[in-house]
Amino acid sequence: MISFLVKRALAAVAALTFATFSVATCASAQDYPKRPITMIVPFAAGGTSDVIARAVAEQMGIALGQTIVIENVAGAGGSTALARASRAEPDGYTIAIGNAGTNAATYTIYPKLPFTPDSFIPIAMVAKTFGIIALRKDFPAKDLKEFIAYAKANPGKINLGHAGVGSSNYLICKSFVTSAGIDATLVGYRGAAPALTDAIGGQIDGVCDAAASVSQAINDKLVKALVVGSTVRLATLPDLPTSAEAGLPEFEAQGWNGLFTPKGTPPAVIAKLNAAARTAVETDAVKKRFADLSTVAPDSDEHTPEVLQKLVTRDVEKYRKMLADDANK
């Protein structure tokens, strides 16, 4: 009898504790956000993810009534940043922007990471990006056909920069050299911006980059564009041929950027962040910024966390097959 009463008492305490926690969580979600939010960017300032993050964060902050502070955490193709994000309190005050490289390919390239895809909850896809191959302005090839011929005549001598193994830019590089059937050295940096700086300075032959961060340098004739891995030409670079037009239809480089939060973040908080992200990408300010960068906002039916989760699941498997040889490098 005593044992029965003790069990009932413990059950009552547990129920009361859970109820108290639930009420507190609900109240916390209703008050969210009460202070600035940190958005972790997995690469150095100036790269594609950083440019997109800053445009979206400013408008999300306005929608939420709080400042969103950008924190650049470069290294290991974005996995250093995601490790930091995975350890954050799941309260909505630390979120991260990621892409197919940081949130899908990285699990194959770095199989011993301290986090998994389940460590994060998707908030929303915020941008679609297009990959470009650009060369130093004095590179001895005027088009893709000449470049491939030069590369095959000089195996291993061409070096192309990217934002680190596992980044979306690295995936652009891998897709390009595989499609072209060339032997090129892929040089990793701590972000897209440092790689582009070296290409402009002639320290490397070219870069694999997204239109968002390389278009201005192309238009300013600091580097020369070779090809864009999309099915249509970009409005900001109307003279740049698509991969099919250039004779390499196998080269595809259309990516995505999405927002994530640590596992355990309350659903009501995620809903607020999703609504703010949706509002942000529909503002004139972000639309104009994206247009300038040849970046596209998601369609109206692509804003949900479920859509982003499907992209992650799809790309984890896709790059597990493509990048098996890169594991443990």
Side-chain angles (χ1 to χ4, degrees), residues 171-190:
L171 302 181
I172 295 171
C173 272
K174 287 288 288 187
S175 176
F176 177 66
V177 298
T178 300
S179 301
I182 62 174
D183 176 12
T185 300
L186 306 185
V187 184
Y189 287 77
R190 292 178 65 83

Side-chain angles (χ1 to χ4, degrees), residues 181-238:
I182 62 174
D183 176 12
T185 300
L186 306 185
V187 184
Y189 287 77
R190 292 178 65 83
L196 179 58
T197 296
D198 273 7
I200 292 172
Q203 282 76 38
I204 55 176
D205 294 312
V207 290
C208 310
D209 207 343
S213 54
V214 74
S215 292
Q216 190 61 53
I218 294 170
N219 283 325
D220 290 343
K221 300 188 184 305
L222 299 175
V223 292
K224 60 181 178 181
L226 194 64
V227 63
V228 57
S230 68
T231 56
V232 295
R233 292 199 179 200
L234 305 180
T236 52
L237 298 168

Side-chain angles (χ1 to χ4, degrees), residues 144 227-232 241-252:
L144 182 61
V227 63
V228 57
S230 68
T231 56
V232 295
T242 67
S243 50
E245 291 172 334
L248 193 65
E250 300 84 359
F251 173 49
E252 297 180 1

Side-chain angles (χ1 to χ4, degrees), residues 32 35-40 69 71 81 84-97 120 123 260-263 265 269 273:
Y32 173 86
R35 54 187 171 84
I37 299 166
T38 295
M39 181 184 292
I40 297 176
V69 180
E71 180 181 341
R84 151 94 169 82
S86 70
R87 295 191 298 267
E89 285 294 322
D91 54 11
Y93 289 99
T94 300
I95 62 178
I97 189 168
F120 304 97
I123 297 170
F260 299 84
T261 188
K263 179 180 179 180
T265 301
V269 170
L273 287 167

Side-chain angles (χ1 to χ4, degrees), residues 29 51 113 129 135 139 166 185 203 208 216 239 254 285 304 312:
V51 173
L113 292 171
T129 59
L135 307 175
F139 191 90
T185 300
Q203 282 76 38
C208 310
Q216 190 61 53
D239 297 328
Q254 300 186 55
T304 67
V312 172

